[in-house]
Amino acid sequence: QVQLVQSGGGLVQAGGSLRLSCAVSGRTFSTNYMGWFRQAQGKEREFVAGINWNGGMKYYADSVKGRFTTSRDNAENTVYLQMNSLKPEDTAVYYCAEVDYCSGYGCYRVNYWGNGTLVTVSS
């Protein structure tokens, strides 16, 4: 019954910005973390960012630190990933997920996956 619906992907030039959203339905409140992952074509899925239930704790992969920001609006049951200074190597399908735990090393034990959204960054 819990669903994570994503939006905000698209095509952007290098140096540009994009904001992804992930709306959770089927549950009004959770103390779980939300994570962001991405998977480029031909590569393994990798951790991007994580955020705890109230947004007080945030974690980022070294590759995106300083450029990406995750946030959440619990009143709207939505988590966001603001992506700035995008690089061609950021091109991937981005997924949000509800997970049990995040740290600076990643997010773990996925409970629900979002549907994914494609981000393409041109040179």
Side-chain angles (χ1 to χ4, degrees), residues 20-92:
L20 308 183
S21 64
C22 175
V24 180
S25 64
R27 181 155 63 202
T28 57
F29 178 80
S30 173
T31 57
N32 285 359
Y33 295 72
M34 294 292 293
W36 290 96
F37 304 84
R38 67 186 183 187
Q39 186 167 21
Q41 187 171 335
K43 303 189 71 174
E44 294 293 315
R45 183 181 63 239
E46 64 176 339
F47 162 74
V48 175
I51 186 169
N52 79 326
W53 71 277
N54 67 0
M57 299 293 291
K58 301 175 182 179
Y59 311 93
Y60 300 97
D62 288 343
S63 59
V64 307
K65 191 173 297 183
R67 300 187 298 120
F68 291 11
T69 303
T70 188
S71 61
R72 66 192 303 165
D73 183 346
N74 286 341
E76 297 293 330
N77 220 9
T78 302
V79 62
Y80 302 94
L81 184 68
Q82 178 67 46
M83 305 183 294
N84 298 325
S85 301
L86 283 162
K87 305 174 181 179
E89 51 261 46
D90 294 319
T91 295

Side-chain angles (χ1 to χ4, degrees), residues 1-5 23-26 112-113:
Q1 192 168 356
V2 175
Q3 296 185 17
L4 280 59
V5 179
V24 180
S25 64
Y112 305 99
W113 284 105

